Amino acid sequence: MKVLILCTGNSCRSQMAHGFLQSFDHTIEVYSGGTEPAAQVNAKAVEMMKEVRIDISSHVPTHVNTYLDQEWDYVITVCGGANENCPTFSGKVGKRLHIGFDDPSHATGTPEFIDSEFRRVRDEIRKSFARFYITEIRKEALPQCSCGGNC
């Protein structure tokens, strides 16, 4: 199972989603990329993921072009910009989904408010990707009924 998660900068939301999905099942090949990748992963995203015991500090933003000729079971966009500007993949893509989130890196205000926005988005990502994992990936891993669905 190969999953690619895309956003514009590949520095925050896609990296958190990457971390969560990989933590749910280490057998899934999870990658993330950006249409306009940042120079590094957002330090606040790294900090907030450490709070839930997931280390994304070694992740590196990668341009989506790196992945265009590969085969993917899922390509998932997590921001409107990447969804609107998602390039055409020359490799086979099983399913393309959009699971959008606010960008916490745009939050302004007190440090406490900014932290709360990162936590809110982080927790929304965890919930949404847990649902995706259970309804899509785990469903595909279950053995199919031999009665044709009439049991």
Side-chain angles (χ1 to χ4, degrees), residues 83-94:
N83 189 38
E84 294 168 12
N85 298 308
C86 190
T88 301
F89 285 76
S90 56
K92 179 185 169 211
V93 174

Side-chain angles (χ1 to χ4, degrees), residues 5 14-31 49 52-56 59 122 125-127 129-130 133 137-138:
I5 304 167
S14 57
Q15 295 290 354
M16 289 191 283
H18 179 163
F20 278 123
L21 190 55
Q22 195 72 76
S23 76
F24 299 152
D25 187 336
H26 293 287
T27 66
I28 303 169
E29 292 183 57
V30 183
Y31 300 85
M49 290 299 285
V52 294
R53 295 180 178 83
I54 297 174
D55 184 6
I56 62 170
H59 289 199
R122 176 200 65 200
I125 291 170
R126 176 181 17 207
K127 182 178 178 181
F129 273 83
Y133 176 70
I137 294 177
R138 294 280 299 164

Side-chain angles (χ1 to χ4, degrees), residues 1-150:
M1 175 72 58
K2 278 181 69 175
V3 178
L4 177 61
I5 304 167
L6 299 175
C7 70
T8 303
N10 189 219
S11 66
C12 192
R13 293 165 288 181
S14 57
Q15 295 290 354
M16 289 191 283
H18 179 163
F20 278 123
L21 190 55
Q22 195 72 76
S23 76
F24 299 152
D25 187 336
H26 293 287
T27 66
I28 303 169
E29 292 183 57
V30 183
Y31 300 85
S32 60
T35 56
E36 299 172 22
Q40 62 190 28
V41 175
N42 183 295
K44 187 61 72 175
V46 172
E47 176 187 337
M48 293 297 134
M49 290 299 285
K50 281 185 181 178
E51 286 185 355
V52 294
R53 295 180 178 83
I54 297 174
D55 184 6
I56 62 170
S57 63
S58 65
H59 289 199
V60 177
T62 305
H63 199 284
V64 66
N65 290 350
T66 304
Y67 305 115
L68 293 180
D69 62 347
Q70 297 179 34
E71 291 190 12
W72 300 98
D73 295 293
Y74 292 91
V75 172
I76 304 169
T77 54
V78 294
C79 77
N83 189 38
E84 294 168 12
N85 298 308
C86 190
T88 301
F89 285 76
S90 56
K92 179 185 169 211
V93 174
K95 290 185 181 179
R96 186 183 175 291
L97 305 172
H98 176 69
I99 307 172
F101 304 97
D102 293 335
D103 188 350
S105 67
H106 291 154
T108 58
T110 66
E112 294 80 15
F113 176 75
I114 293 169
D115 285 354
S116 73
E117 283 298 286
F118 268 87
R119 286 186 186 103
R120 178 184 64 80
V121 172
R122 176 200 65 200
D123 294 346
E124 288 175 4
I125 291 170
R126 176 181 17 207
K127 182 178 178 181
S128 294
F129 273 83
R131 186 179 313 115
F132 162 76
Y133 176 70
I134 291 166
T135 61
E136 293 285 333
I137 294 177
R138 294 280 299 164
K139 179 181 75 174
E140 289 184 12
L142 295 174
Q144 297 299 311
C145 172
S146 62
C147 72
N150 296 319

